[in-house]
């Protein structure tokens, strides 16, 4: 019986030491390492640009960009006052303005232009981009896009100039 009591006492002592020596977690919340997949397909192009978020690959920037944020907007010649960006073309120039990139909504890739001097127009196949007298894009010598018209509108009544 003494051996049994000694064994019980020893078992209780070791068990209580194990409890005392363990770190107690204050936060009992369960941490989840990852969010379960939502089943949303994200389509990326061959360069890793997310199309649904409006990103396209830029040769000039050598990165994915949102053309509407970084490009100069051109509108169709028959609708220059258009406020709908989905019909617009966008032009991106490098720092020395010897290279240009045009993004058209109908084309999956941009049109990359280069020129030797700033006095020349950009030419590529049947496309011509002119920036000397306002931005224009021509196809087969017919202007199809021109710089978008800017409209300055009053935000509040005090923005309107009194004459």
């Amino acid at each position: 019986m003494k051996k049994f009591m000694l064994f019980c006492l020893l078992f209780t002592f070791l068990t209580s030491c194990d409890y005392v020596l363990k770190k107690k977690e204050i936060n009992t919340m369960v941490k989840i390492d990852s969010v379960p997949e939502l089943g949303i397909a994200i389509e990326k192009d061959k360069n890793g640009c997310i199309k649904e978020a409006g990103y396209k690959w830029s040769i000039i920037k050598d990165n994915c960009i949102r053309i509407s944020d970084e490009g100069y907007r051109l509108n169709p010649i028959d609708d220059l006052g258009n406020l709908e960006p989905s019909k617009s073309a966008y032009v991106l120039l490098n720092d020395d303005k010897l290279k240009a990139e045009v993004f058209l909504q109908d084309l999956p890739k941009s049109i990359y232009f280069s020129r030797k001097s700033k006095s020349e127009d950009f030419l590529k196949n049947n496309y011509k981009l002119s920036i000397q007298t306002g931005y224009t894009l021509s196809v087969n010598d017919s202007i199809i896009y021109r710089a978008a018209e800017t409209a300055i509108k009053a935000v509040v009544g005090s923005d309107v100039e009194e004459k």
Side-chain angles (χ1 to χ4, degrees):
M1 183 76 169
K2 286 183 179 183
K3 287 183 180 182
F4 179 71
M5 291 291 277
L6 184 62
F7 178 74
C8 287
L9 186 62
L10 184 62
F11 179 75
T12 306
F13 176 72
L14 291 175
T15 305
S16 65
C17 287
D18 185 45
Y19 178 76
V20 170
L21 295 175
K22 282 186 179 178
K23 290 183 180 177
K24 296 178 185 161
E25 291 198 26
I26 297 171
N27 189 357
T28 58
M29 292 177 60
V30 178
K31 294 181 182 178
I32 299 174
D33 290 339
S34 63
V35 177
E37 225 177 282
L38 299 175
I40 299 171
I42 298 174
E43 188 177 346
K44 294 182 178 181
D45 66 7
K46 67 179 181 177
N47 297 305
C49 302
I50 301 172
K51 293 179 181 181
E52 287 82 7
Y55 287 94
K56 287 192 174 186
W57 180 258
S58 170
I59 297 168
I60 288 179
K61 296 281 187 175
D62 194 30
N63 204 351
C64 297
I65 63 165
R66 279 189 166 157
I67 56 171
S68 59
D69 293 344
E70 298 196 30
Y72 189 79
R73 184 174 166 185
L74 306 178
N75 279 346
I77 194 72
D78 57 347
D79 194 10
L80 289 177
N82 176 27
L83 297 176
E84 176 96 24
S86 64
K87 295 180 181 180
S88 300
Y90 292 88
V91 176
L92 190 64
L93 298 170
N94 70 341
D95 292 335
D96 61 7
K97 296 186 179 181
L98 293 178
K99 295 177 183 166
E101 195 170 8
V102 174
F103 296 89
L104 296 173
Q105 299 298 332
D106 300 338
L107 299 178
K109 290 175 31 177
S110 64
I111 304 167
Y112 180 73
F113 296 92
S114 64
R115 62 183 179 177
K116 294 181 182 177
S117 75
K118 291 183 180 179
S119 62
E120 298 176 354
D121 287 332
F122 292 101
L123 299 171
K124 177 82 173 227
N125 299 334
N126 55 345
Y127 291 99
K128 179 172 98 174
L129 175 65
S130 176
I131 62 172
Q132 271 68 11
T133 58
Y135 286 68
T136 58
L137 179 66
S138 305
V139 176
N140 298 325
D141 294 325
S142 176
I143 297 174
I144 57 170
Y145 287 94
R146 185 174 299 248
E149 291 180 357
T150 57
I152 300 172
K153 295 184 178 182
V155 178
V156 293
S158 63
D159 288 345
V160 179
E161 292 182 13
E162 293 182 24
K163 293 183 181 182

